Amino acid sequence: MIPAGIIHQKNNLYTARIVGNCGEFSTQELIAIAQVASTYGNGKITATSRGTIEIEQISPDNIESMLAEIKAHNLRLGGTGTTVRAIVSCKGTTCTKGLYDVHALATELDDLFYGQIVPKKLKIGVFGCINSLGKAKSQDIGIMPSFKNPHKFEIYIGGLLGNNPVYGQHIDIALNKEQLICAIKFIIEIYQKNGKYPQRLRKVLDTNPNLWQEITDYLTKLIQK
């Protein structure tokens, strides 16, 4: 059985997807990835739009040995399948336009939600200023700073790219960090409870419009506590 993080490609070759710390890799990790790519792939690595790194053109005969080396280097293989995918974040932690520590929030959410099983896949993005609004709207759950309530957050739900792109719906409720975490947990649970493969979150919510109201009602109650 092919493990998570191994992707079948053309010509019966495989790609290994390595997940970092919300797009961040140490120099030691990059050296280890380069060694694995040189030994088992084509000597090249590819950076993905979600901040993961892929080792390409791996022969099926080399997968077992490659997996052992990845484990020996303590690299994290994954970011595939019917799961909460690698959480993506902008450079708001160090960028002069960032309004909060984006990477710290993203890593906290990654620890809580990455890899959870869902009906299809679910993508969460954490962004730090208005320049990333389009990216936030393109996530299943996009997180932005609240521009009306400093030190709080607002979310966009149900965004999609791919062959049927659609902007996520803005929920105009400002949440503190603890409330945000509760909101994400609630949305994921709704998806797990009501979705069926291969439905994405947006399909589930649009098929059951009452679920949109459930989310809004839940967020409203959160801020009233």
Side-chain angles (χ1 to χ4, degrees):
M1 181 177 179
I2 300 298
I6 301 297
I7 306 164
H8 187 246
Q9 304 285 27
K10 294 178 180 179
N11 302 317
N12 199 33
L13 296 173
Y14 290 82
T15 288
R17 181 173 293 168
I18 309 296
V19 181
N21 182 23
C22 297
E24 186 177 273
F25 291 85
S26 70
T27 53
Q28 291 83 3
E29 287 171 331
L30 291 173
I31 290 169
I33 292 169
Q35 290 174 345
V36 174
S38 295
T39 303
Y40 301 104
N42 63 351
K44 298 178 182 180
I45 59 175
T46 301
T48 75
S49 61
R50 300 203 68 78
T52 66
I53 287 178
E54 293 184 351
I55 300 168
E56 299 183 332
Q57 297 189 25
I58 303 161
S59 166
D61 296 333
N62 289 332
I63 289 178
E64 187 173 344
S65 298
M66 182 206 62
L67 291 174
E69 187 161 343
I70 285 174
K71 183 177 180 180
H73 287 296
N74 293 315
L75 298 171
R76 184 165 58 153
L77 188 69
T80 62
T82 57
T83 63
V84 176
R85 297 295 182 85
I87 293 178
V88 67
S89 68
C90 72
K91 297 291 292 180
T93 297
T94 54
C95 174
T96 57
K97 297 184 183 298
L99 298 179
Y100 65 99
D101 191 341
V102 176
H103 194 259
L105 177 60
T107 54
E108 185 170 350
L109 298 180
D110 186 80
D111 289 340
L112 291 169
F113 300 114
Y114 168 77
Q116 288 191 16
I117 300 300
V118 292
K120 175 61 174 172
K121 56 184 174 182
L122 186 132
K123 298 179 177 182
I124 300 173
V126 186
F127 306 100
C129 82
I130 194 66
N131 290 342
S132 291
L133 180 59
K135 294 178 182 178
K137 289 183 175 183
S138 302
Q139 311 294 314
D140 291 289
I141 304 174
I143 300 161
M144 288 285 288
S146 173
F147 301 110
K148 297 180 290 185
N149 296 273
H151 311 298
K152 291 191 175 184
F153 308 93
E154 295 181 14
I155 58 176
Y156 292 80
I157 303 173
L160 290 168
L161 291 173
N163 59 13
N164 187 28
V166 60
Y167 273 154
Q169 182 168 312
H170 179 216
I171 308 298
D172 190 14
I173 298 174
L175 307 166
N176 63 32
K177 188 177 76 170
E178 290 71 27
Q179 293 164 346
L180 173 68
I181 290 170
C182 289
I184 294 170
K185 182 175 183 291
F186 183 77
I187 294 165
I188 292 174
E189 288 174 349
I190 278 184
Y191 185 29
Q192 291 169 329
K193 185 177 180 180
N194 295 279
K196 294 182 180 179
Y197 183 88
Q199 291 177 318
R200 293 288 295 274
L201 175 63
R202 183 57 176 258
K203 180 69 172 179
V204 174
L205 297 178
D206 285 350
T207 303
N208 304 275
N210 60 301
L211 297 178
W212 282 112
Q213 191 61 49
E214 280 189 37
I215 292 170
T216 301
D217 290 346
Y218 178 78
L219 269 61
T220 301
K221 290 178 182 177
L222 276 179
I223 64 172
Q224 292 174 346
K225 289 182 179 179

